Amino acid sequence: MDMQSKLTNPYFTKKCYFSSDAWVDLPVGVIVEVPLAQTGEGIAECELLKWFVQEGDEIQEFQPLCEVQSDKATMEITSRYNGRVSEILHHPGEIVKVGETLLKMVVEESSTPTMSADDKDNITFVKSDICDSSHEILLSNKDNIGGALSTPAVRNLAKQYGVNINDIHGTGKDGRVLKEDVLKYITTKGIFREPSASSQETLVEQLPIKEEKSSYTFSVDGWHYEDSTVSLRGFQRSMVKSMTMAAKVPHFHYLEEINCDALVELKAAFQSENSDPQIKHTYLPFLIKSLSMALSKHPSMNSSFNEESHEVILKGCHNIGVAMATPYGLVVPNIKKVQSLSILEVTKELSRLQQLAINNKLSTEDISGGTITLSNIGAIGGKFGSPLLNLPEVAIIAMGRIQKLPRFADDGNVYPASILNVNIGADHRVVDGATVARFCNEWKLLIEKPELLLLHMR
Amino acid sequence: MSTISQARSIGLPLMNIVRFKGAPILHQLYLEEQLLRTSSENWCVINDGTNIPTIVMGISGKPSELLEVRSVLQDQVPVVRRFSGGGTVIVDHGTLFVTFICNKNAVPGVQPYPQPIMSWSSTLYNEVFQGIGHFHLRENDYVFGNRKFGGNAQSITKNRWVHHTSFLWDYEARNMAYLKLPMRTPKYRLARDHEEFVCRMKDFLSREAFIDRTLKAVGTQFSVRPIQSEASSVPHDATFQHSTTMLTKQELEAALPSQSETYELQRF
C-alpha cells in the first residue's frame, strides 16, 4: 500500500505548501490538514464515532480530537499541534479511509510538529564525532511565505550576490530555485562581484560536515572563512535534550578486552552452512544473543531507574537497542525479547530494522521500549568509545573495531588474536563496579567460549 | 543478592485484581469504563459467568444488521451496546470475562495501539494455556487449533487502554439463534457455521484452573493486589457518564422494518 511508505510516524501530517524536509517550523496561520493516521497494521479504514471538538475551538497539543473505531478497537486521536479547528470534514457514523483528511486546523506561529513523547526519549545518540551522512536542514525563515520556492542556503547565496531571488527562473521540483539557477542567472547577468565579506554563509548541514559537490565556481579560492550558524531541529534537537539529561546521571565506565577468535570461527561456520542468500551472518547477532544470556544472570543491568520513587524497575524483556548510523542521522531501534529469539531470528530482525532505518521507515514501536543499548561504533572506526547512557536505561555498551593484535598463548608463544574492546557505561546510582565487572565477565566468557551457550539453551 | 529479588517484586508495575462471579454484564462494563477514564492504576477484572443471558454489541453495532430482532423482542433478551469496538456476542453463565485496563506505559514494549496490545495479550494467554490444546491468536480471536473460544475488543484513549475478552467456557447453541451471521467475519472462519467455527473451553480445562492460571500469568508481569469486593455486586458511580447503554424496547422495535427478506436468505 502506497500509504505505508508515507506513514512512518503515527502522526504524519500533510502540509499544503512545499517543503523538502518534514521537520520545519510552520509560519503563521498555515492551514494544516490532519489525516486519519495509520493506527495499526492492515487497518485500511475506520468509522468515525464522535468528535470531542467543534469548528472554531482552540486546541492544545495532545488534546483528544475525536474517537474512531477500527475492527476491534475504539481509539482516541489526539492533536499534534496547538491551533484552532477550522473545518471538520467527516461526521460521526462515516467511514474514513486511512490517510483521508479528518479536519483542517489553523496552526499557530512556530508550531513544530511533535513526535510522541516516547519518540523523543528513545532517539538518543552515542557520543561520536564520526558519521558518514549529511542532510540539509531548513532554517526557520519567514520569507518562506509567498515568493519563489528555495532553501535558505540558496536565498542567502542570492542575497550575497545582490540578486532578487524572485527574478530567477527555478528549474527544481515545482519551480524551486536551485543553487545552479542562481549561478546561471549571475553569469547571464554578468555579475562578477565576490560575495560580501560581512554576509553570513549559511551552509547548513547535520553532523558531520561532508564535502558538498558544488558547481560554485565564482569565488576566488572556493573556501569560506565566515562562521555559519546551524539551528537545531528534529533529531538533533532531541539529542540536545537527551544528552543534557544523560549528563546529569553519574556515569562510570568499565573497559574490557574480548578475544573474538572463537566468534570469528563461528561466523565463518554460520556463513558456510548458510543456504539462504537473503541472510548475511555478521558478529552482531551473536553478541546480542550472548548479551541477553548474560543479562538473565544480571538483571540489574537490564533495568531502569525511577528517580522520584527511588525504584529500580527490572525489565522483563531484553529489548536490545542497536545504534545505527543512517543518512538521516543516528537512530537506535531495538530488537524485542531477545531472550526468546534464536540467533537466526535475531539476525533476521536486525536485518529488517537496518533496512527500515536506511529508508527512514522505522516505526515508533521499533525505536521505543529499549532496555539496554549496543553501539557498534567500531563498524565505522575507533578503538574505544565512551558512551553516554540512553535514558532511562541503566547500561550502554560501545564496541570498538575487532583488531588483530599480538597476544600470548598459554604456552608463552605470541599469536595473532582478534581483539574487541568494549566500554560499558553504567548508571552508578543503580549498579556498582562489581556488578558490571561480573556481568561483563559472563558476557566475555560466552563470546570467548561460544559452546557454553549450549548449556543455557532452552 | 536478596535485595535484587526483593527489588524484583517491588519493581514490577502494580495490577489491581477484582473478581466477580455472576455479575451482570452491564455493571461490569460500567465499572470497566469508569476505571478506564477515571483511574490511573492498572486493573484486571475477572467475572466468572454473568447472571442473565445478554446480547452485547460493539459501540457502533446496529441491531438491524446484527440481531434477529423479532426473536430478541419476543423472548425479551436484554441488548447492551458497550463502550469498546468489535463484534456481537451473547453472554450467559457459561461465559468467562477477563479484562485488562492499563496505563499506556504499564507493559514494557507494548505501544497503545490495537496490534501490539492484542499481541501482548496472546503472549500472556500463551502462558495460561501452556500444554493445553493448541492455543494461539488468530487474527483477533483466541483459538484452539482453528476453532474460536475467545473474542476480544479494545478501547484506547490518550493515556490508557482496555483489552477485554469473553471466553466461551460453555454456551447454549439455541442462544446463537438470536444473532445473525455477521457481515464481516475473520478470514480464517472460511464459510463455517457457528457449530463448526467455535469450541467450548470446558473441553480443555475447568473454570477454576483457567482463573488460577490467568492470575499466575498476570503475576509474572505485574505485582498483583487483590481488591476485596462482594462477589456479585459491582460498585459503580451513578454520576459517571457511561457510554455503555442498554437498548430500549423502542430502539429495538425501530430496527424491525429495516430487516428485509434478503437478510434471511443470507443465512442459507
Side-chain angles (χ1 to χ4, degrees):
Chain A
M1 186 161 91
D2 194 44
M3 264 305 150
Q4 199 76 35
S5 59
K6 287 189 194 167
L7 296 168
T8 54
N9 187 301
Y11 294 96
F12 169 82
T13 302
K14 188 175 75 177
K15 300 174 191 52
C16 46
Y17 74 106
F18 302 104
S19 156
S20 64
D21 189 306
W23 305 107
V24 93
D25 272 1
L26 297 173
V28 179
V30 165
I31 302 257
V32 164
E33 293 180 10
V34 178
L36 175 63
Q38 181 80 304
T39 47
E41 290 150 17
I43 295 173
E45 60 191 23
C46 292
E47 180 186 344
L48 177 64
L49 294 171
K50 64 175 162 195
W51 285 104
F52 299 124
V53 299
Q54 50 192 4
E55 286 175 9
D57 281 356
E58 292 291 333
I59 309 284
Q60 301 219 314
E61 201 183 326
F62 303 128
Q63 184 178 334
L65 295 172
C66 61
E67 192 177 40
V68 300
Q69 185 192 208
S70 75
D71 227 5
K72 300 283 176 181
T74 63
M75 285 175 292
E76 283 183 5
I77 306 283
T78 55
S79 178
R80 282 184 81 193
Y81 298 99
N82 292 318
R84 188 170 38 86
V85 179
S86 74
E87 195 186 343
I88 287 190
L89 297 171
H90 286 279
H91 300 291
E94 286 178 25
I95 303 289
V96 183
K97 291 211 184 332
V98 166
E100 244 184 285
T101 306
L102 275 172
L103 75 157
K104 291 188 184 169
M105 276 177 67
V106 178
V107 174
E108 289 161 15
E109 188 176 326
S110 303
S111 177
T112 320
T114 51
M115 294 182 280
S116 70
D118 288 343
D119 284 344
K120 278 200 190 135
D121 290 342
N122 282 293
I123 298 176
T124 54
F125 304 90
V126 169
K127 205 170 168 189
S128 155
D129 290 339
I130 306 165
C131 183
D132 59 353
S133 66
S134 77
H135 193 69
E136 199 173 275
I137 305 175
L138 294 177
L139 290 180
S140 119
N141 189 335
K142 298 254 155 57
D143 293 340
N144 274 343
I145 309 169
L149 293 172
S150 66
T151 66
V154 174
R155 278 178 201 281
N156 276 303
L157 182 64
K159 220 195 264 178
Q160 279 169 34
Y161 280 93
V163 294
N164 186 346
I165 194 141
N166 295 317
D167 294 337
I168 303 174
H169 169 65
T171 59
K173 190 177 169 206
D174 304 313
R176 192 182 294 240
V177 176
L178 305 173
K179 204 178 221 168
E180 295 81 64
D181 300 327
V182 174
L183 298 173
K184 206 190 274 178
Y185 180 81
I186 292 163
T187 26
T188 55
K189 290 284 170 184
I191 299 166
F192 288 97
R193 214 160 24 112
E194 275 177 28
S196 58
S198 60
S199 71
Q200 294 275 335
E201 166 71 43
T202 50
L203 188 66
V204 177
E205 282 173 331
Q206 211 181 50
L207 287 176
I209 311 298
K210 179 179 158 186
E211 300 270 349
E212 204 185 51
K213 290 194 180 58
S214 159
S215 57
Y216 191 94
T217 55
F218 286 92
S219 77
V220 173
D221 60 2
W223 292 101
H224 297 276
Y225 300 96
E226 293 85 16
D227 292 344
S228 58
T229 307
V230 178
S231 191
L232 297 181
R233 294 281 180 269
F235 288 155
Q236 279 194 293
R237 202 179 178 109
S238 25
M239 185 165 80
V240 170
K241 183 181 158 203
S242 47
M243 285 300 121
T244 308
M245 281 183 355
K248 294 194 184 124
V249 173
H251 285 65
F252 72 98
H253 290 98
Y254 178 89
L255 272 57
E256 178 62 291
E257 186 183 276
I258 302 182
N259 186 324
C260 289
D261 285 344
L263 180 59
V264 170
E265 265 188 55
L266 194 68
K267 177 188 129 172
F270 285 167
Q271 199 52 44
S272 69
E273 290 301 313
N274 182 19
S275 52
D276 187 342
Q278 302 278 7
I279 298 174
K280 181 168 175 256
H281 289 285
T282 59
Y283 300 116
L284 207 43
F286 183 86
L287 292 168
I288 292 170
K289 182 64 184 173
S290 52
L291 186 73
S292 167
M293 290 279 189
L295 285 174
S296 299
K297 289 200 177 172
H298 300 272
S300 57
M301 295 294 287
N302 190 57
S303 63
S304 128
F305 184 60
N306 184 329
E307 278 182 65
E308 294 94 51
S309 57
H310 281 271
E311 282 173 351
V312 174
I313 301 166
L314 301 170
K315 299 286 183 178
C317 302
H318 299 168
N319 295 341
I320 299 181
V322 181
M324 294 181 186
T326 75
Y328 305 92
L330 278 168
V331 285
V332 190
N334 59 85
I335 301 174
K336 304 277 193 282
K337 292 203 184 114
V338 175
Q339 70 257 61
S340 65
L341 297 179
S342 66
I343 295 176
L344 186 61
E345 284 167 336
V346 171
T347 309
K348 287 180 181 162
E349 177 63 5
L350 186 62
S351 173
R352 181 188 80 89
L353 291 170
Q354 278 163 336
Q355 275 304 106
L356 291 174
I358 290 167
N359 297 311
N360 199 18
K361 284 183 168 52
L362 288 166
S363 72
T364 320
E365 193 174 346
D366 293 329
I367 55 175
S368 46
T371 57
I372 190 170
T373 298
L374 264 180
S375 168
N376 190 14
I377 195 71
I380 298 168
K383 205 169 153 182
F384 284 107
S386 182
L388 292 193
L389 286 174
N390 186 3
L391 292 183
E393 295 168 14
V394 142
I396 181 167
I397 303 164
M399 301 181 291
R401 263 179 310 126
I402 296 183
Q403 300 171 279
K404 245 200 173 46
L405 295 171
R407 288 285 176 272
F408 286 104
D410 293 333
D411 58 8
N413 287 327
V414 174
Y415 77 101
S418 297
I419 300 293
L420 170 69
N421 286 316
V422 298
N423 185 332
I424 304 181
D427 184 340
H428 215 320
R429 300 168 304 176
V430 181
V431 292
D432 56 24
T435 310
V436 174
R438 285 190 205 110
F439 161 76
C440 189
N441 286 345
E442 182 73 37
W443 188 37
K444 177 180 152 101
L445 188 62
L446 291 171
I447 297 170
E448 293 184 347
K449 293 188 156 66
E451 59 273 19
L452 291 178
L453 222 58
L454 288 169
L455 270 181
H456 304 285
M457 205 170 71
R458 289 227 170 91
Chain B
M1 283 204 202
S2 67
T3 40
I4 294 291
S5 49
Q6 274 172 6
R8 186 186 287 275
S9 58
I10 298 168
L12 292 172
L14 189 64
M15 172 81 77
N16 298 304
I17 312 275
V18 192
R19 289 177 66 167
F20 301 107
K21 194 170 169 66
I25 185 63
L26 183 67
H27 293 174
Q28 181 187 339
L29 289 167
Y30 278 168
L31 175 68
E32 288 177 9
E33 190 185 2
Q34 196 170 334
L35 290 174
L36 172 71
R37 301 199 198 284
T38 64
S39 167
S40 54
E41 296 185 352
N42 303 312
W43 297 83
C44 172
V45 180
I46 300 179
N47 189 8
D48 186 357
T50 189
N51 54 350
I52 312 166
T54 309
I55 294 171
V56 183
M57 300 189 299
I59 192 164
S60 58
K62 295 176 184 57
S64 57
E65 288 174 10
L66 301 165
L67 312 178
E68 296 293 349
V69 184
R70 206 170 295 278
S71 326
V72 167
L73 279 168
Q74 218 165 336
D75 299 345
Q76 296 182 319
V77 184
V79 178
V80 167
R81 186 184 277 128
R82 65 179 182 265
F83 67 96
S84 57
T88 314
V89 287
I90 178 158
V91 299
D92 57 21
H93 63 275
T95 315
L96 278 166
F97 302 92
V98 180
T99 302
F100 291 101
I101 305 163
C102 294
N103 289 314
K104 69 176 181 185
N105 296 319
V107 190
V110 174
Q111 290 296 298
Y113 300 107
Q115 255 316 90
I117 297 170
M118 193 71 78
S119 222
W120 166 78
S121 77
S122 78
T123 60
L124 185 122
Y125 286 112
N126 246 320
E127 272 186 60
V128 176
F129 296 111
Q130 195 67 253
I132 295 173
H134 179 206
F135 168 80
H136 53 280
L137 174 71
R138 192 84 191 257
E139 291 175 52
N140 296 314
D141 300 332
Y142 297 140
V143 300
F144 285 129
N146 68 346
R147 283 182 179 240
K148 173 177 174 174
F149 72 98
N152 296 296
Q154 299 165 335
S155 183
I156 302 170
T157 64
K158 185 171 136 191
N159 292 313
R160 286 164 70 70
W161 50 261
V162 163
H163 177 95
H164 49 205
T165 313
S166 59
F167 288 95
L168 289 172
W169 189 78
D170 192 6
Y171 68 88
E172 294 193 57
R174 58 193 169 93
N175 279 350
M176 299 304 149
Y178 293 115
L179 306 180
K180 289 183 170 316
L181 263 177
M183 307 263 262
R184 285 171 69 182
T185 60
K187 293 195 198 79
Y188 79 98
R189 181 169 183 151
L190 303 168
R192 285 181 284 168
D193 245 349
H194 196 267
E195 286 292 311
E196 297 298 312
F197 175 53
V198 300
C199 65
R200 295 173 167 87
M201 195 162 75
K202 77 175 201 194
D203 293 337
F204 294 85
L205 78 170
S206 72
R207 301 165 96 115
E208 293 73 31
F210 169 72
I211 294 177
D212 284 342
R213 281 170 164 243
T214 303
L215 289 172
K216 194 159 160 227
V218 172
T220 61
Q221 296 190 37
F222 297 89
S223 176
V224 306
R225 178 168 73 186
I227 302 288
Q228 288 300 96
S229 103
E230 232 181 84
S232 63
S233 100
V234 179
H236 62 274
D237 177 3
T239 60
F240 180 76
Q241 278 281 80
H242 296 286
S243 315
T244 304
T245 54
M246 174 103 80
L247 267 63
T248 62
K249 190 154 165 256
Q250 287 75 17
E251 283 172 290
L252 287 168
E253 281 170 351
L256 273 173
S258 39
Q259 290 207 328
S260 65
E261 280 180 13
T262 46
Y263 278 115
E264 301 294 335
L265 287 170
Q266 262 185 2
R267 292 207 65 197
F268 299 88

